[in-house]
Amino acid sequence: MTRLIVAAGGGGDAVAAAMLDAALYGGEDRAVILTYAWDRLLIDPVPGPRGAHNFTGLAPLTPAVLAVPAEARPIPPAGSTLPRLAQELPNTFALLDPHHGAEGITRQLEALLRHLEPDSIDLLDVGGDILARGDEPTLKSPLADALTLAACCQVNASIRLLVAGPGLDGELPPEDLRGLLGPLVHTLTARDVDPISSVLEWHPSEATAMLAATARGARGTCEVRDAGLPVPLTDEGPTVHEVDLDEALSRNRLARTLMTTTTLDEAEAHCREVCGTSEIDYERDKAASLRQQPPAELDPATALAQLARFEAEARTRGVTHTTFRHLTEALNLAGSQREDLRQLLITSHPEQYAAPLWHIRADGRGQRRHPTFGAARIPT
């Protein structure tokens, strides 16, 4: 059985696609996952998505679609999580390239469908911002999802739109999404998370991290992103719903305006008109800011003291969990220091590691002890 899953926003959607593929279908055969190479700045310091010209070692699936195997490498200064995903997961990851707009993505889809002749096609979005109108004040990253939606709606094939973890991306409130969701397809469990558990130890996606955490039973409020956005972790978190594809397009004004675009610049211009800005503009501004403000050095004692202050303040906001990406930025550390910080905190207080999130204890009791460094010594 051949299956295709389109990861609507790239990044964590590709990881969630691998998890859902195993959960829904199981077996030895794994779906081909068509996804953007579009990672956060802590992985890829170059704003925007990567195209085929940004990699070496890609493998052709069709003349229009290239796979990203484990041996592929992004060309510096670009970065990408896709080669490591290909190394650790059994799926084939095909590169979705938006540089020729929605029309280019449509051609890629059509070529891949002719090549694979898949038995099923799913378009997967974690969080649900693919259902945004475009004018919501909380909407932060509409362009990637709108482009894939626009392309999928122009393909002559039966495509099922799935929304996993409604509201977990922090883009649209769960209460705004409930009336838009269709039938429940699956509720993820801790067992479903197992196939991607090793990936969650290093992948920076916050939405997919919360999806996995809620599947493992985490409940409360998780603070995410650089701005400290609160996201509720509820029983809705691990659910996966089907949504009518045509209804999603009818609701998503940006996707409708993108359908005839032939360049990424043109798509961005439409995004600014409909939504006021684009996520690539945000990435450009943030990249410039990071260049002007060198991050602090990671000193273990200082980091643990800063963490204690952060947690004390977070408790006053009702926060119960946070992500290591948010902690890295809250402590003014570089993205490259995220893994060192994670190791430091887990070594220091393993009982607070609610994998893949960090749990903030309600009482705040317990003296922070300096970890004993050995083979896993944290650089200072």
Side-chain angles (χ1 to χ4, degrees):
M1 180 179 184
T2 304
R3 299 182 300 280
L4 174 65
I5 303 178
V6 182
D13 285 358
V15 181
M19 174 170 59
L20 200 62
D21 178 39
L24 293 183
Y25 302 105
E28 295 183 1
D29 294 332
R30 288 289 179 263
V32 173
I33 297 174
L34 181 62
T35 179
Y36 297 107
W38 196 340
D39 288 293
R40 297 187 186 279
L41 292 176
L42 61 88
I43 295 291
D44 183 358
V46 183
R50 305 281 67 79
H53 63 283
N54 297 121
F55 287 89
T56 62
L58 299 180
L61 291 175
T62 78
V65 184
L66 301 174
V68 185
E71 58 270 20
R73 292 293 179 269
I75 299 172
S80 175
T81 59
L82 289 182
R84 189 168 177 183
L85 288 182
Q87 179 181 3
E88 296 191 20
L89 296 173
N91 300 85
T92 296
F93 292 91
L95 182 62
L96 193 160
D97 190 342
H99 288 88
H100 297 287
E103 289 195 0
I105 296 175
T106 300
R107 289 193 296 271
Q108 281 193 293
L109 271 169
E110 290 172 340
L112 197 55
L113 294 181
R114 286 193 299 269
H115 173 70
L116 295 176
E117 297 184 347
D119 298 283
S120 67
I121 312 166
D122 292 325
L123 171 61
L124 175 65
D125 175 44
V126 177
D129 59 336
I130 199 169
L131 301 178
R133 295 184 305 272
D135 59 354
E136 294 87 349
T138 53
L139 192 61
K140 301 297 182 184
S141 55
L143 180 56
D145 301 271
L147 273 168
T148 49
L149 176 60
C152 285
C153 288
Q154 298 184 83
V155 174
N156 184 23
S158 176
I159 299 177
R160 180 174 65 164
L161 172 57
L162 299 177
V163 170
L168 288 183
D169 56 1
E171 305 267 345
L172 300 179
E175 55 271 19
D176 290 355
L177 288 168
R178 289 189 191 111
L180 307 175
L181 302 175
L184 177 68
V185 173
H186 186 67
T187 299
L188 293 162
T189 66
R191 183 177 180 179
D192 294 327
V193 179
D194 287 345
I196 63 162
S197 58
S198 65
V199 171
L200 295 173
E201 296 295 308
W202 59 265
H203 198 279
S205 171
E206 292 177 304
T208 298
M210 290 185 286
L211 179 66
T214 56
R216 287 171 165 168
R219 299 293 183 268
T221 299
C222 187
E223 201 165 76
V224 301
R225 295 186 180 172
D226 47 0
L229 180 73
V231 176
L233 307 177
T234 70
D235 290 345
E236 292 177 293
T239 63
V240 182
H241 292 264
E242 184 175 355
V243 179
D244 184 270
L245 191 68
D246 291 334
E247 289 183 8
L249 180 65
S250 177
R251 177 179 174 82
N252 192 319
R253 179 187 168 200
L254 176 59
R256 296 197 305 275
T257 67
L258 296 178
M259 296 183 80
T260 59
T261 54
T262 57
T263 68
L264 182 57
D265 288 342
E266 184 185 2
E268 253 206 292
H270 283 297
C271 191
R272 295 186 191 103
E273 293 170 1
V274 174
C275 305
T277 186
S278 84
E279 54 257 51
I280 310 179
D281 284 333
Y282 172 79
E283 291 176 7
R284 293 184 184 105
D285 292 343
K286 185 172 182 178
S289 176
L290 290 173
R291 287 192 294 269
Q292 295 172 2
Q293 299 177 355
E297 292 295 324
L298 178 56
D299 173 72
T302 300
L304 292 174
Q306 291 175 321
L307 176 68
R309 290 193 292 271
F310 169 84
E311 289 184 330
E313 294 172 0
R315 280 190 289 272
T316 67
R317 300 190 291 270
V319 176
T320 60
H321 297 78
T322 190
T323 64
F324 288 99
R325 182 243 173 159
H326 178 57
L327 283 174
T328 301
E329 300 204 62
L331 274 56
N332 191 35
L333 297 172
S336 60
Q337 296 169 311
R338 173 182 174 272
E339 180 56 26
D340 291 336
L341 177 66
R342 177 182 168 278
Q343 290 182 19
L344 170 64
L345 300 193
I346 293 174
T347 304
S348 174
H349 270 268
E351 74 280 0
Q352 287 184 249
Y353 183 40
L357 304 179
W358 183 252
H359 176 57
I360 298 173
R361 301 197 319 183
D363 55 17
R365 290 198 301 268
Q367 183 179 0
R368 296 212 170 268
R369 53 185 174 83
H370 197 287
T372 300
F373 299 121
R377 180 176 176 83
I378 306 301
T380 60

